[in-house]
Each structure stands twice: as structure tokens, then as C-alpha cells.
Amino acid sequence: MDLSEILAMIWGSLPEMVWLIFIYGIVTLGLNFILGHGGMFHLGQIGFFVLGGMASTIVTSELWVKKYPGLTPFSNFVLGIILGVVISILAAVGIGVPTLRLRGDYFAIATLGFGEIVKVVLNANDDLRYVPVPKIFHTGSEEIDLDLEIILAAGIFIIFFIIIMWLTRRPFGRVLHAVRDDELGAESLGKNAFVVRLKAFIFGAAMASIAGSLYVHHFGVFSPMSYMIDMTVMFLVIVVLGGIGNNVGTLLGVITVVFLSAIPRWITRACEIDPTTVNIGAINLLIFAGIIIAVMIFHPPGILGEGSKLEPFANRIKREVMRFLLGARRGGGHA
Amino acid sequence: MNIHALLQWRYRHRVDPRVIILGLGVTLGIILITLNYLQPVIIRLLPNAILLGLFIGSIYALVALGYTMVYGILKFINFAHGEVFMWGGYFVYTFSVLGGVNFFIGCFVAVMLTTLMGILIERIGYRPLRRAPRLAPLITAIGFSLFLQSLAVYCFKADYRSISAPIGGVDAISSPVRLTLPSAPILSGIGIGVFALCYVFLHLRKRKNPERKPSTMVENLILLFLVLFSIFFVLSILNTPAADPASIFRSSVLLSIQLIDGIFLVTAVIVMIILHLIVKYTTLGKAMRAVSDDMDSASAVGIDVDRVIASTFALGSLVAGIGGILFGLKYCIYPYMGFLPGLKAFAAAVVGGIGNIYGAMIGGLIIGMAEQVGPVGLDMAGISGTPYQDAIVFIVLIIFLIIKPSGVMGKEHLVMSRGK
């Protein structure tokens, strides 16, 4: 391949990557809310992602449409999102109530198990093993309308970004931070740590479910086993790399990780290596694992986390942006 | 009714454990006898499932030992432990199957290498983070777990491989050993007799020497076995053909156990005994207990904490390596085998009481039984149970976390979130 072809290939794969950035962005914002703001070691975000996909698949599938022909595809899609959120909230309560009173490790192992068990249980069900999903966002023919998907995902991402920014400044967010930093202290001031944590967990889980509902319509098929353990780890890498507890950092983390996982693919295609001879997935994972270990040992705050050298700089940019957007009225107060 | 209120009621009124055992036994007996009438075919699968649960459970117990020892000392989950277990199998594969080294030498080298792996993980990943926030070593552990797993995928591809070729293939180790035993009613009758004698003997000794404190644990265990054998006795009597009661004396039970299953159980028991001796009687064991109780004080009285922690990791990884080889001999090895079995082993550690090595054995047996007996139960309810095996283990874990988060033998303060 010469240079122009390589550039064309990279340019061609960009829209899908932008879409992926927003989808993963929604999931990891939720994870960051749970892990960074709430201090709970959550490893089962993938489970809620799958549940959201499952709900959307069921509601938009041909069988359902045949049963309830009065509904339009769009209302079915919205119904799928709502159903996914409801199921995810129920699951989150089921996991959270027994484990959130205990030490963080129990929560970690319960959520990790949950993420895997959801896939195994759905896969055991004949009706859910390999289901065709209608592509709702299409341009008349079979082609998917990627622009529409990107706009939808970006819109939801931005809405959640604003909600979380708002929420962390509300009393709820401050209590959540207090519980994360000093549980005994927060409880001695009369705050119920368990309830605050459970609420934060439910909120983050619902976000993953919504992202799952959007994600599944891109591929035209729903198969629980196609959601690998790699995804759990990728979400964790995004949050850890970007800086635990920093929402802008999470966005930077998503962009980095999506590009990082695309680069080996580009290289193999540019050098015309037979993709069956090298295991791209394993190389990606090795890189991710290296990143996690290196970040935790050498620079625990990540790119933008608390204590990172870049943090004051980022805060200043944020302040300027806020001042620009909101006028001088509220500027300066946001650090 | 709130489950916590129920538990508090039980603690306040101090129900005798013997009453609980008898009550559970009677309930179980009634359930089994009812099922025996409703589903006479499927209940025949039960003894087999229990045996299999015993064998699989001993593997989980071996892996759970590593989790529980590390948790007892460092108070965090070593997620990479399941991957060390997996590499135990892969080292044997590399040396003995690919390299052609004698199988037993290969096993020895593999176990040494997993030990080294455990020490290295601790040295590189966890030691720099000893004073970091609690989340940091957990995240590093996930990183190591992923690193070792994807390394295996990269080196060996995500295929299933067998490691039993150098010792004659799967047939040689899974050849059944047949035992011919007297018929079921006679067997359970003997069991009842033996345990009843034990019980009487215990009480006679207690009466003879009232100063001596009776071991309630042993007494309860004997009672438990007595109840179980009685259920078995009633069931087997019910299943003998009414027309020919004399067949009790003529017929016999043919028990067939695979060789490898026997090796599982024997290895697990031997490892448990050795670990017990190490922890109880050696200087290292004493130091381990001291570090587990209070790391700072232990270091103040001159215990080399770093060395003790490294030895804990070495011991746990050694045992995990043995477990990995055995697991690979019975099934296959594949890069993801550290994940679900590892998770189940951790569940076993929690159920048995984390931080307690005897709890790991009990927890392993409970989880193994749940995994094998649970599907049979679902079959009886009319659902095909095998796909839900993993979910059943997970549900057992959640139930334990609700009812008794400290596990069968654990300590309460290790578990609650406030005991930071």
C-alpha cells in the first residue's frame, strides 16, 4: 500500500471510531461515576451493557413487531431503552443490596461474576443465542446511517456528561465523595453510606444499559458470547488511564483507547500481513494490561486524576470554557 | 421479615446447633423422599453428582487456598491467582508435550515456575503499592490477570489442549477403578452404626471426665453424618423391591471412580494437612499469623514482613500450580480457564470464610456440590440445568453474602466495610 491508500483507509475508519468513542464514553462515564466518584470497584459494567442490548433486541425484533404491529420502529426503540434500564436497575439492586454493605472486594467479585453470568445465562436460552437485530438507523437500503447513529450517541453522551457534572456538585455528589473518602466520618454526620452508594451504582448501571441498547443496532445481530471479557477490562483501562474520578479524563481515556486498539489493525492492513498469522486481539490486550499496571505503579492519578501534574492546567481550561459559555457571572467559581 | 432480624433473633435466643442439624435433616429427608416418588429416575443421578462435586470441589479448594492466604495477610483479592493456576497447566504443556521432558519432571518444573511467578507478581505489582489506597492493588491485580491471560492467548492461541499425552492419554488416567460394595441399606446401616458408636463414646467420655471441655464441633459433625446416613438408609429401604426384600443381602453397589478423581481428593487432603502443619508449627507459619493479625506490630518486633508476604504468595502459587495441572489432566487447558474456575474458587474462599485455610476446604466442597448437585435439582424441576451451573454457584455466593458474609469459619470484622 502506498501512503495515499493508507490515509484513505484510516480516513474511512474514522466515523465508526467516533461512534465507538461516544458509545464507550457513555459506558465509562457511568463506570467513572461508580468507581471514581463513588469509590466502588465495579467490574460488571459489561453485564448491564449486555442487558440493555438484550432488551432492545427483544423489543425491536420481528416477533415483537408482528405481535404489536401498531408501534412504529422508533417507539419500539425507545421502549427497548426503557425496558433495558428497568431490567438493569433491578439487577443492580440485586447485586448491590447484599454486597454494598461489605468491603469493596466483595462488591468487585460479585460484579465481575455478574458480568460473566449474565452472558452465560442468556446464552443458555435458545431464543437469545444468536438473534438478528433490525438496523433501525438505515438510509433506505441495507446501508446503516452512521451519521444518525453518531448524532444520537453524541447527544446522549453530552446529556449524561452535563447531568454528571451537575450531579457531582449537588449535595448528592458531595455526600458521595464524602462516603468515598471517609465512610465513618460521613456516617457520623448522619449520612446513610449504603443508600448513597446504591443510588450511584444504579445510575451508572442505567447508563451502561442505554449505551448497550444503542450499540446492538449497529451490527444487526445480538449474541451474548460476543461480548468478551476484554470489554470489561477495556472500560477499566479507560477510567484508570484518564484519571479516576475525572470526567474529562474519561473522555480522553476513551479517545486514547479506541485509537490504541485501532493502530495494530491499521498496521497489519498497511503492511499487508495476513491477519490470521498474528493475534491482534491478544496484542491489544497485552498493551492494555501493560497500561493498567504501569499507570498504577508509576503514576496512579492517570492523565487527569487528582494529584496529576496536568490537573491544574486542565482545571484552568475548564474554567475558561465555563466562563466563555456561561458569561462572567459564574466564572471563576468552578474549579 | 428481615433476614438480619431473623439472625439477631437466633443469636439472642441461642438455638442449639443440634436442633438446627436435626431440623435441616428432617426437611431434607422429606424433600428427598417426596422427590423419590415424583422423579424416581433422576434421583439416581444424585449420588454420582455428589461424588463429582466432592472431586471438583477439592480442586476449587486448592485454588481457594491461595486466595484466602493472600486475603488473610494483605486484605485484598489477588485476581491474578486464577491465571497462575492456568499457567501451571501451560508450563506442563510446554515442557512435557512440546518439549518432550519426562512428565513428572515437567510437573515439578512447572510448579516451581508458578511459584516464581507468584513471587514476581508480588514483587513487581503489589509491593510498591503496599501503602496506596485500597483500590490501587485491586486494579493492578486485574492488570496482571489480563496480562497473563492474553500472554497465553498470544503464545498458544485460544484453543483447547490436552496435557495427558505423555502419561498415556486421557484413557490411562480416567480409567475407572471399580469397587464392589455391599448393597446400599447395609452400607448406610454400617455408617449409622459407626457414627452412633462414636456419639455414644463421646458422651461416655464426657460423663467420665466432666472437667474436660467437650468439642461441640466434632459432636455436631458426627450428628450431621448420622442424620445424612439415616436419610440414605430410609431412601434405600424405600427403593428395594417390596416383592423381594431378601435382595438387600444379595445385591451390591458397584462404585466406579476415575483414577484422576481419586488423585484430586488425595492431593487436596495432603496439601491441606501440609499447609496446616506449616501454618501451625513452623516459624514461617507463626510469622504469617502475626503479619495477618497486625502488620505494623509484626514489623516492630522484627519480623521481615516483605519476606513473609513473598512466602505467602509463593505457597499459594505453588498450590495453584498443582491445581492447574490436575485440572488440565481431567479436562483440557485453555487460556480462559483461570477465569471462571478462578472466580468459583474465590467464591469457595468467601463461602468457607475468607482468611481461613480450613474454611477454603469446606467452601470448595460446598461450591463443588452446588455446581454438580444444583443442575440435578433443576432437572428434577423440569428445567435443563447444566447451562445454569455457573449461575448456581454465583447464587450460592450471593446467598452467603446476604446471610453470613463472614463465611462458615471466617471472622466478622474482616468483612464489614467499616473495618478499614
Side-chain angles (χ1 to χ4, degrees), chain B residues 262-308:
Chain B
I263 298 175
F264 274 21
L265 198 61
V266 172
T267 319
V269 170
I270 291 175
V271 166
M272 282 297 298
I273 292 172
I274 292 176
L275 269 185
H276 166 78
L277 294 179
I278 289 178
V279 170
K280 191 125 198 205
Y281 296 109
T282 62
T283 329
L284 174 68
K286 220 181 231 175
M288 272 162 66
R289 278 180 286 150
V291 172
S292 164
D293 274 350
D294 187 340
M295 200 185 284
D296 292 326
S297 314
S299 137
V301 295
I303 294 172
D304 187 349
V305 174
D306 282 343
R307 235 184 93 188
V308 172

Short mmCIF file of all heavy atoms in Angstrom, two decimals, chain B residues 262-308:
data_model
loop_
_atom_site.label_atom_id
_atom_site.label_comp_id
_atom_site.label_asym_id
_atom_site.label_seq_id
_atom_site.Cartn_x
_atom_site.Cartn_y
_atom_site.Cartn_z
N GLY B 262 -9.78 -39.67 42.18
CA GLY B 262 -9.17 -40.08 43.44
C GLY B 262 -7.93 -39.24 43.72
O GLY B 262 -7.72 -38.79 44.85
N ILE B 263 -7.12 -39.02 42.66
CA ILE B 263 -5.90 -38.23 42.84
C ILE B 263 -6.25 -36.82 43.31
O ILE B 263 -5.58 -36.27 44.19
CB ILE B 263 -5.08 -38.18 41.53
CG1 ILE B 263 -4.66 -39.59 41.14
CG2 ILE B 263 -3.85 -37.30 41.68
CD1 ILE B 263 -3.95 -39.66 39.82
N PHE B 264 -7.31 -36.24 42.74
CA PHE B 264 -7.77 -34.91 43.16
C PHE B 264 -7.92 -34.85 44.67
O PHE B 264 -7.34 -34.02 45.35
CB PHE B 264 -9.18 -34.62 42.60
CG PHE B 264 -9.20 -34.05 41.23
CD1 PHE B 264 -8.13 -34.19 40.38
CD2 PHE B 264 -10.32 -33.38 40.78
CE1 PHE B 264 -8.18 -33.68 39.11
CE2 PHE B 264 -10.37 -32.86 39.52
CZ PHE B 264 -9.31 -33.01 38.68
N LEU B 265 -8.73 -35.80 45.16
CA LEU B 265 -9.12 -35.76 46.57
C LEU B 265 -7.90 -35.96 47.46
O LEU B 265 -7.67 -35.20 48.40
CB LEU B 265 -10.17 -36.83 46.82
CG LEU B 265 -10.98 -36.67 48.08
CD1 LEU B 265 -11.74 -35.38 48.03
CD2 LEU B 265 -11.93 -37.83 48.24
N VAL B 266 -7.09 -36.98 47.09
CA VAL B 266 -5.93 -37.30 47.92
C VAL B 266 -4.97 -36.12 47.95
O VAL B 266 -4.50 -35.70 49.02
CB VAL B 266 -5.23 -38.56 47.37
CG1 VAL B 266 -3.92 -38.79 48.09
CG2 VAL B 266 -6.15 -39.76 47.53
N THR B 267 -4.71 -35.51 46.76
CA THR B 267 -3.79 -34.37 46.72
C THR B 267 -4.31 -33.24 47.59
O THR B 267 -3.56 -32.64 48.37
CB THR B 267 -3.65 -33.85 45.29
OG1 THR B 267 -3.57 -34.95 44.42
CG2 THR B 267 -2.44 -32.97 45.15
N ALA B 268 -5.60 -32.95 47.43
CA ALA B 268 -6.16 -31.83 48.19
C ALA B 268 -6.00 -32.06 49.68
O ALA B 268 -5.58 -31.16 50.42
CB ALA B 268 -7.63 -31.64 47.83
N VAL B 269 -6.30 -33.29 50.13
CA VAL B 269 -6.21 -33.57 51.56
C VAL B 269 -4.76 -33.45 52.04
O VAL B 269 -4.47 -32.82 53.07
CB VAL B 269 -6.79 -34.97 51.86
CG1 VAL B 269 -6.48 -35.37 53.29
CG2 VAL B 269 -8.28 -34.96 51.64
N ILE B 270 -3.81 -34.01 51.23
CA ILE B 270 -2.40 -33.95 51.64
C ILE B 270 -1.93 -32.50 51.72
O ILE B 270 -1.30 -32.09 52.70
CB ILE B 270 -1.53 -34.75 50.64
CG1 ILE B 270 -1.82 -36.23 50.78
CG2 ILE B 270 -0.05 -34.48 50.88
CD1 ILE B 270 -1.10 -37.08 49.77
N VAL B 271 -2.28 -31.70 50.70
CA VAL B 271 -1.85 -30.30 50.69
C VAL B 271 -2.41 -29.57 51.90
O VAL B 271 -1.71 -28.79 52.56
CB VAL B 271 -2.29 -29.62 49.38
CG1 VAL B 271 -2.16 -28.12 49.49
CG2 VAL B 271 -1.45 -30.11 48.24
N MET B 272 -3.68 -29.86 52.22
CA MET B 272 -4.29 -29.20 53.37
C MET B 272 -3.53 -29.53 54.64
O MET B 272 -3.25 -28.66 55.46
CB MET B 272 -5.74 -29.66 53.55
CG MET B 272 -6.73 -29.03 52.64
SD MET B 272 -6.84 -27.29 52.90
CE MET B 272 -7.39 -27.23 54.57
N ILE B 273 -3.19 -30.83 54.79
CA ILE B 273 -2.50 -31.24 56.02
C ILE B 273 -1.14 -30.56 56.10
O ILE B 273 -0.76 -30.01 57.14
CB ILE B 273 -2.36 -32.78 56.07
CG1 ILE B 273 -3.75 -33.40 56.24
CG2 ILE B 273 -1.46 -33.19 57.20
CD1 ILE B 273 -3.76 -34.89 56.11
N ILE B 274 -0.41 -30.54 54.97
CA ILE B 274 0.92 -29.92 54.98
C ILE B 274 0.81 -28.43 55.33
O ILE B 274 1.56 -27.91 56.16
CB ILE B 274 1.61 -30.11 53.61
CG1 ILE B 274 1.94 -31.59 53.41
CG2 ILE B 274 2.89 -29.29 53.53
CD1 ILE B 274 2.51 -31.89 52.06
N LEU B 275 -0.15 -27.76 54.70
CA LEU B 275 -0.30 -26.33 54.98
C LEU B 275 -0.65 -26.10 56.44
O LEU B 275 -0.15 -25.17 57.06
CB LEU B 275 -1.40 -25.75 54.09
CG LEU B 275 -0.93 -25.19 52.76
CD1 LEU B 275 -2.08 -24.54 52.04
CD2 LEU B 275 0.18 -24.20 52.96
N HIS B 276 -1.52 -26.97 56.96
CA HIS B 276 -1.89 -26.85 58.36
C HIS B 276 -0.65 -26.95 59.24
O HIS B 276 -0.45 -26.14 60.14
CB HIS B 276 -2.89 -27.95 58.72
CG HIS B 276 -3.08 -28.14 60.18
ND1 HIS B 276 -3.87 -27.29 60.91
CD2 HIS B 276 -2.57 -29.03 61.05
CE1 HIS B 276 -3.83 -27.68 62.18
NE2 HIS B 276 -3.05 -28.73 62.28
N LEU B 277 0.21 -27.94 58.92
CA LEU B 277 1.43 -28.11 59.72
C LEU B 277 2.32 -26.88 59.60
O LEU B 277 2.87 -26.39 60.59
CB LEU B 277 2.19 -29.37 59.27
CG LEU B 277 1.45 -30.68 59.53
CD1 LEU B 277 2.27 -31.85 59.02
CD2 LEU B 277 1.16 -30.84 61.01
N ILE B 278 2.45 -26.36 58.36
CA ILE B 278 3.32 -25.18 58.17
C ILE B 278 2.80 -24.00 58.98
O ILE B 278 3.54 -23.36 59.72
CB ILE B 278 3.38 -24.81 56.67
CG1 ILE B 278 4.19 -25.85 55.91
CG2 ILE B 278 4.01 -23.43 56.48
CD1 ILE B 278 4.27 -25.59 54.44
N VAL B 279 1.50 -23.73 58.85
CA VAL B 279 0.96 -22.54 59.50
C VAL B 279 0.99 -22.69 61.01
O VAL B 279 1.23 -21.74 61.75
CB VAL B 279 -0.48 -22.28 59.00
CG1 VAL B 279 -1.16 -21.22 59.84
CG2 VAL B 279 -0.45 -21.84 57.56
N LYS B 280 0.79 -23.92 61.49
CA LYS B 280 0.67 -24.09 62.93
C LYS B 280 2.03 -24.23 63.62
O LYS B 280 2.22 -23.70 64.70
CB LYS B 280 -0.19 -25.33 63.22
CG LYS B 280 -0.59 -25.45 64.66
CD LYS B 280 -2.09 -25.55 64.80
CE LYS B 280 -2.54 -25.24 66.20
NZ LYS B 280 -3.80 -25.85 66.53
N TYR B 281 2.97 -24.93 63.00
CA TYR B 281 4.16 -25.31 63.77
C TYR B 281 5.47 -24.67 63.33
O TYR B 281 6.43 -24.71 64.06
CB TYR B 281 4.31 -26.84 63.75
CG TYR B 281 3.16 -27.52 64.44
CD1 TYR B 281 2.21 -28.24 63.73
CD2 TYR B 281 3.02 -27.41 65.82
CE1 TYR B 281 1.14 -28.84 64.37
CE2 TYR B 281 1.96 -28.01 66.47
CZ TYR B 281 1.02 -28.72 65.74
OH TYR B 281 -0.03 -29.30 66.38
N THR B 282 5.58 -24.12 62.12
CA THR B 282 6.88 -23.59 61.73
C THR B 282 6.99 -22.12 62.12
O THR B 282 5.99 -21.46 62.41
CB THR B 282 7.09 -23.69 60.21
OG1 THR B 282 6.10 -22.90 59.57
CG2 THR B 282 7.02 -25.11 59.74
N THR B 283 8.22 -21.62 62.08
CA THR B 283 8.45 -20.20 62.37
C THR B 283 7.76 -19.34 61.32
O THR B 283 7.18 -18.30 61.63
CB THR B 283 9.95 -19.90 62.34
OG1 THR B 283 10.64 -21.05 62.77
CG2 THR B 283 10.28 -18.73 63.23
N LEU B 284 7.86 -19.79 60.06
CA LEU B 284 7.23 -19.04 58.99
C LEU B 284 5.73 -18.90 59.23
O LEU B 284 5.14 -17.82 59.09
CB LEU B 284 7.48 -19.74 57.64
CG LEU B 284 6.75 -19.13 56.46
CD1 LEU B 284 7.31 -17.75 56.16
CD2 LEU B 284 6.86 -20.01 55.24
N GLY B 285 5.11 -20.03 59.66
CA GLY B 285 3.67 -20.01 59.90
C GLY B 285 3.31 -19.05 61.01
O GLY B 285 2.35 -18.30 60.93
N LYS B 286 4.15 -19.07 62.05
CA LYS B 286 3.91 -18.16 63.17
C LYS B 286 4.00 -16.72 62.68
O LYS B 286 3.15 -15.88 63.00
CB LYS B 286 4.97 -18.42 64.24
CG LYS B 286 4.43 -18.37 65.64
CD LYS B 286 5.57 -18.61 66.61
CE LYS B 286 5.23 -19.69 67.62
NZ LYS B 286 6.36 -20.00 68.48
N ALA B 287 5.03 -16.44 61.87
CA ALA B 287 5.21 -15.08 61.35
C ALA B 287 4.03 -14.70 60.47
O ALA B 287 3.54 -13.57 60.52
CB ALA B 287 6.51 -14.99 60.56
N MET B 288 3.54 -15.66 59.68
CA MET B 288 2.40 -15.38 58.81
C MET B 288 1.19 -14.98 59.62
O MET B 288 0.48 -14.02 59.30
CB MET B 288 2.07 -16.59 57.94
CG MET B 288 2.85 -16.64 56.64
SD MET B 288 2.88 -18.26 55.89
CE MET B 288 1.20 -18.48 55.47
N ARG B 289 0.95 -15.73 60.70
CA ARG B 289 -0.21 -15.40 61.53
C ARG B 289 -0.04 -14.03 62.16
O ARG B 289 -0.99 -13.25 62.27
CB ARG B 289 -0.40 -16.48 62.60
CG ARG B 289 -1.15 -17.69 62.05
CD ARG B 289 -1.33 -18.73 63.11
NE ARG B 289 -0.08 -19.44 63.39
CZ ARG B 289 0.23 -19.95 64.57
NH1 ARG B 289 -0.60 -19.82 65.57
NH2 ARG B 289 1.37 -20.59 64.74
N ALA B 290 1.20 -13.73 62.57
CA ALA B 290 1.44 -12.43 63.21
C ALA B 290 1.20 -11.29 62.22
O ALA B 290 0.51 -10.32 62.53
CB ALA B 290 2.87 -12.38 63.73
N VAL B 291 1.73 -11.45 60.99
CA VAL B 291 1.56 -10.39 59.98
C VAL B 291 0.08 -10.23 59.65
O VAL B 291 -0.42 -9.12 59.46
CB VAL B 291 2.38 -10.72 58.73
CG1 VAL B 291 2.06 -9.75 57.62
CG2 VAL B 291 3.85 -10.67 59.04
N SER B 292 -0.63 -11.37 59.60
CA SER B 292 -2.05 -11.32 59.29
C SER B 292 -2.82 -10.55 60.36
O SER B 292 -3.74 -9.79 60.06
CB SER B 292 -2.58 -12.74 59.15
OG SER B 292 -3.96 -12.75 59.22
N ASP B 293 -2.42 -10.73 61.63
CA ASP B 293 -3.12 -10.02 62.71
C ASP B 293 -2.84 -8.53 62.68
O ASP B 293 -3.76 -7.72 62.77
CB ASP B 293 -2.70 -10.58 64.07
CG ASP B 293 -3.52 -11.78 64.44
OD1 ASP B 293 -4.51 -12.02 63.73
OD2 ASP B 293 -3.18 -12.48 65.41
N ASP B 294 -1.58 -8.17 62.60
CA ASP B 294 -1.24 -6.75 62.65
C ASP B 294 0.13 -6.55 62.02
O ASP B 294 1.16 -6.89 62.60
CB ASP B 294 -1.24 -6.28 64.11
CG ASP B 294 -1.06 -4.77 64.19
OD1 ASP B 294 -0.58 -4.18 63.20
OD2 ASP B 294 -1.41 -4.20 65.23
N MET B 295 0.13 -6.00 60.81
CA MET B 295 1.36 -5.92 60.05
C MET B 295 2.38 -5.00 60.73
O MET B 295 3.57 -5.33 60.80
CB MET B 295 1.04 -5.41 58.64
CG MET B 295 2.12 -5.72 57.64
SD MET B 295 1.75 -4.98 56.07
CE MET B 295 0.50 -6.06 55.46
N ASP B 296 1.91 -3.89 61.25
CA ASP B 296 2.85 -2.92 61.82
C ASP B 296 3.52 -3.46 63.08
O ASP B 296 4.73 -3.34 63.24
CB ASP B 296 2.12 -1.61 62.13
CG ASP B 296 1.69 -0.91 60.86
OD1 ASP B 296 2.43 -1.03 59.86
OD2 ASP B 296 0.62 -0.28 60.85
N SER B 297 2.71 -4.07 63.95
CA SER B 297 3.30 -4.61 65.18
C SER B 297 4.27 -5.73 64.84
O SER B 297 5.33 -5.84 65.46
CB SER B 297 2.23 -5.14 66.11
OG SER B 297 1.19 -4.22 66.20
N ALA B 298 3.91 -6.56 63.86
CA ALA B 298 4.78 -7.67 63.48
C ALA B 298 6.12 -7.12 63.01
O ALA B 298 7.18 -7.63 63.38
CB ALA B 298 4.13 -8.50 62.38
N SER B 299 6.07 -6.07 62.23
CA SER B 299 7.31 -5.49 61.75
C SER B 299 8.09 -4.85 62.90
O SER B 299 9.32 -4.86 62.92
CB SER B 299 6.98 -4.49 60.64
OG SER B 299 7.71 -3.34 60.76
N ALA B 300 7.37 -4.35 63.91
CA ALA B 300 8.04 -3.72 65.04
C ALA B 300 8.81 -4.73 65.88
O ALA B 300 9.84 -4.40 66.46
CB ALA B 300 7.03 -2.99 65.91
N VAL B 301 8.32 -5.98 65.94
CA VAL B 301 9.04 -6.98 66.74
C VAL B 301 10.07 -7.73 65.90
O VAL B 301 10.60 -8.74 66.32
CB VAL B 301 8.09 -7.99 67.42
CG1 VAL B 301 7.23 -7.30 68.43
CG2 VAL B 301 7.28 -8.74 66.39
N GLY B 302 10.36 -7.21 64.71
CA GLY B 302 11.48 -7.74 63.95
C GLY B 302 11.14 -8.79 62.92
O GLY B 302 12.02 -9.46 62.40
N ILE B 303 9.86 -8.97 62.59
CA ILE B 303 9.51 -9.91 61.53
C ILE B 303 9.71 -9.22 60.18
O ILE B 303 9.28 -8.08 60.00
CB ILE B 303 8.06 -10.36 61.68
CG1 ILE B 303 7.90 -11.18 62.96
CG2 ILE B 303 7.61 -11.18 60.49
CD1 ILE B 303 6.48 -11.51 63.29
N ASP B 304 10.38 -9.89 59.26
CA ASP B 304 10.60 -9.32 57.93
C ASP B 304 9.30 -9.47 57.14
O ASP B 304 9.02 -10.51 56.56
CB ASP B 304 11.74 -10.05 57.25
CG ASP B 304 12.12 -9.40 55.93
OD1 ASP B 304 11.34 -8.53 55.48
OD2 ASP B 304 13.16 -9.75 55.38
N VAL B 305 8.47 -8.42 57.16
CA VAL B 305 7.13 -8.52 56.59
C VAL B 305 7.18 -8.83 55.10
O VAL B 305 6.44 -9.68 54.60
CB VAL B 305 6.36 -7.20 56.85
CG1 VAL B 305 5.03 -7.23 56.14
CG2 VAL B 305 6.15 -7.00 58.32
N ASP B 306 8.09 -8.16 54.38
CA ASP B 306 8.18 -8.39 52.93
C ASP B 306 8.44 -9.86 52.63
O ASP B 306 7.84 -10.44 51.72
CB ASP B 306 9.30 -7.54 52.34
CG ASP B 306 8.86 -6.10 52.17
OD1 ASP B 306 7.63 -5.88 52.20
OD2 ASP B 306 9.73 -5.22 52.04
N ARG B 307 9.34 -10.46 53.43
CA ARG B 307 9.67 -11.86 53.17
C ARG B 307 8.48 -12.77 53.45
O ARG B 307 8.21 -13.71 52.72
CB ARG B 307 10.86 -12.27 54.02
CG ARG B 307 11.99 -12.84 53.18
CD ARG B 307 13.09 -13.31 54.05
NE ARG B 307 12.96 -14.71 54.37
CZ ARG B 307 13.74 -15.31 55.24
NH1 ARG B 307 14.68 -14.65 55.87
NH2 ARG B 307 13.58 -16.60 55.49
N VAL B 308 7.79 -12.46 54.54
CA VAL B 308 6.63 -13.30 54.90
C VAL B 308 5.56 -13.21 53.80
O VAL B 308 4.99 -14.22 53.39
CB VAL B 308 6.05 -12.85 56.26
CG1 VAL B 308 4.74 -13.56 56.53
CG2 VAL B 308 7.04 -13.12 57.34
#
